[in-house]
Amino acid sequence: MAMVCLTDFEEYAKEHLSKATWDYYAAGADECCTRDDNLLAYKRIRLRPRILRDVSVSDTRTTVQGTEISFPVGIAPTAFHCLAWHEGEMATARGTEAVNTCYITSTYSTCSVEEIVAAAPNGYRWFQLYVYRDRKLSESIVHRVEALGYKALVLTVDVPYTGKRRNDIRNQFKLPPHLKVKNFDGVIQVMAASSEEYGIPSNTLDPSISWKDVYWLQSLTRLPIIIKGILTKEDAELAVEHGVQGIIVSNHGGRQLDGGPATIDALSEIVDTVQGRIEVYLDGGIRTGSDVLKAVALGAKCVFIGRPAVWGLAYKGEEGVREVLQILNDEFRLSMALSGCRNVAEINRNLIQFSKL
């Protein structure tokens, strides 16, 4: 079967993954309103195409944190890739490297940060980080990834506690015995099975995390710090004031607070507040090249895809990830051209018409 668009990969993954694995990746919090709205919000936004602009040559390249990538789409941090494909994050890293874009590696990887670097030595990578009650745990992983050549730290700030994902509770979701959160192998012991939450002891995350922890992180590293999980202009302003280098507008794929805004709806107020002082990125709900175009037009420097990367992995490992990215790149290039944009610099808010619906 020819894979034509990202939903083809979604259907394949749903058919071929176990129910518990599919449910884990697909889950949203509570009634999944925010998860679903991440996608629906794009359909409410209309484009205002310009014509007769000579789009015979087009260029999709852009930069993030000063590094050139092939187009403004990277891989968002998602956990447990070995559930979808035996080589897990190593395959994701190779697929992303082949397309020359950014891969944000999850703390909750089923391959270690070292294995991921070895698999794709020339890949451009950031590392996604949580702050743990045991600060030494966070500290040691920061030093590991900095030494390995990861180029930024992505601090996830929307998980003081894990959201209520109903199907995971019904399925009693656990990592199978042959898989581990590899970065903590030998560092954290998962004791009684009952106290485990997503592969690590359930009270490991620190709910006392606050803005002062951003300063603490800056004291540990010279890497740029990007905050993932901002949805309001107030927090965007605080992020700038605390000297971070970027923001990912994110609601954790609708897996944390249900009833928050779709990320594309939150983007404009954040971009308007930041006013170019730091880069603003976005994840959540990207399924087509025209979604990418809309997000870039509204001020995102780059967008990141979560679930679609996992679907690509489930389809054909490294090759599937590469195919998902390539389809998005081709669609983005076509949407750009059909809107009259020859390069990313020509994409701006004049392209957007908010529908009256």
Side-chain angles (χ1 to χ4, degrees):
M1 181 175 97
M3 305 303 257
V4 176
C5 59
L6 268 55
T7 49
D8 290 346
F9 292 87
E10 180 177 20
E11 283 165 20
Y12 181 95
K14 185 167 189 179
E15 217 168 286
H16 289 81
L17 294 172
S18 75
K19 182 185 185 301
T21 296
W22 170 261
D23 284 350
Y24 167 72
Y25 289 133
D30 300 327
E31 296 175 298
C32 299
C33 299
T34 297
R35 179 197 67 182
D36 296 345
D37 202 36
N38 273 348
L39 280 78
L40 293 169
Y42 282 96
K43 301 185 193 325
R44 298 192 285 264
I45 299 169
R46 295 285 173 270
L47 293 163
R48 303 176 63 248
R50 301 297 306 276
I51 40 86
L52 300 175
R53 298 280 282 263
D54 181 5
V55 288
S56 55
V57 178
S58 66
D59 181 0
T60 61
R61 289 173 303 171
T62 190
T63 62
V64 287
Q65 298 297 317
T67 295
E68 187 180 283
I69 54 175
S70 60
F71 74 129
V73 177
I75 302 290
T78 53
F80 309 149
H81 288 190
C82 284
L83 287 175
W85 184 258
H86 63 282
E87 292 178 303
E89 290 82 3
M90 294 188 290
T92 311
R94 287 195 295 262
T96 314
E97 179 187 62
V99 182
N100 185 31
T101 190
C102 178
Y103 169 30
I104 308 179
T105 304
S106 170
T107 282
Y108 285 71
S109 295
T110 38
C111 302
S112 70
V113 284
E114 290 81 5
E115 288 169 329
I116 291 164
V117 170
N122 301 312
Y124 178 60
R125 273 176 290 272
W126 298 348
F127 181 76
Q128 175 272 330
L129 180 78
Y130 288 106
V131 172
Y132 297 106
R133 288 176 194 265
D134 177 357
R135 291 290 192 277
K136 288 272 177 279
L137 209 54
S138 302
E139 206 169 310
S140 71
I141 194 102
V142 167
H143 295 316
R144 269 168 77 188
V145 298
E146 188 161 12
L148 284 164
Y150 284 75
K151 298 300 185 205
L153 293 174
V154 175
L155 177 64
T156 299
V157 294
D158 56 4
V159 191
Y161 301 95
T162 306
K164 182 178 178 181
R165 303 163 198 170
R166 295 175 182 179
N167 283 341
D168 286 348
I169 298 167
R170 290 185 183 112
N171 297 332
Q172 298 184 302
F173 175 83
K174 278 196 176 55
L175 272 184
H178 69 284
L179 295 181
K180 294 187 179 82
V181 177
K182 260 305 198 34
N183 290 320
F184 298 138
D185 198 14
V187 184
I188 298 183
Q189 298 307 318
V190 177
M191 305 298 182
S194 61
S195 71
E196 178 195 327
E197 186 172 56
Y198 299 114
I200 64 171
S202 49
N203 60 351
T204 310
L205 290 170
D206 190 350
S208 81
I209 182 173
S210 70
W211 285 105
K212 71 178 186 311
D213 291 297
V214 174
Y215 290 140
W216 168 76
L217 198 53
Q218 286 163 338
S219 77
L220 296 182
T221 181
R222 317 231 322 239
L223 291 176
I225 293 167
I226 291 148
I227 293 199
K228 174 179 179 286
I230 285 181
L231 290 166
T232 62
K233 62 186 179 193
E234 292 87 349
D235 283 336
E237 182 57 48
L238 283 166
V240 175
E241 286 171 13
H242 282 77
V244 305
Q245 278 71 39
I247 287 170
I248 303 180
V249 178
S250 175
N251 53 32
H252 218 98
R255 295 160 77 80
Q256 282 300 104
L257 176 68
D258 198 30
T263 50
I264 193 68
D265 289 339
L267 179 62
S268 291
E269 74 169 64
I270 291 169
V271 168
D272 289 345
T273 296
V274 168
Q275 293 196 314
R277 290 175 290 172
I278 59 176
E279 291 183 349
V280 177
Y281 317 110
L282 166 143
D283 67 22
I286 297 282
R287 298 293 179 267
T288 67
S290 82
D291 293 343
V292 179
L293 182 66
K294 289 169 182 176
V296 174
L298 288 168
K301 184 75 169 146
C302 180
V303 301
F304 293 91
I305 55 169
R307 293 182 182 93
V310 173
W311 304 335
L313 211 49
Y315 173 61
K316 216 183 274 187
E318 168 191 349
E319 204 181 313
V321 172
R322 192 166 45 76
E323 240 177 282
V324 163
L325 286 166
Q326 198 53 61
I327 285 170
L328 266 185
N329 195 346
D330 293 343
E331 289 180 354
F332 175 59
R333 188 182 295 275
L334 183 58
S335 295
M336 267 174 68
L338 296 179
S339 304
C341 300
R342 289 162 292 208
N343 55 55
V344 172
E346 291 185 349
I347 303 171
N348 61 46
R349 217 175 271 193
N350 293 332
L351 265 186
I352 300 293
Q353 171 190 319
F354 291 94
S355 71
K356 308 295 183 284
L357 294 177

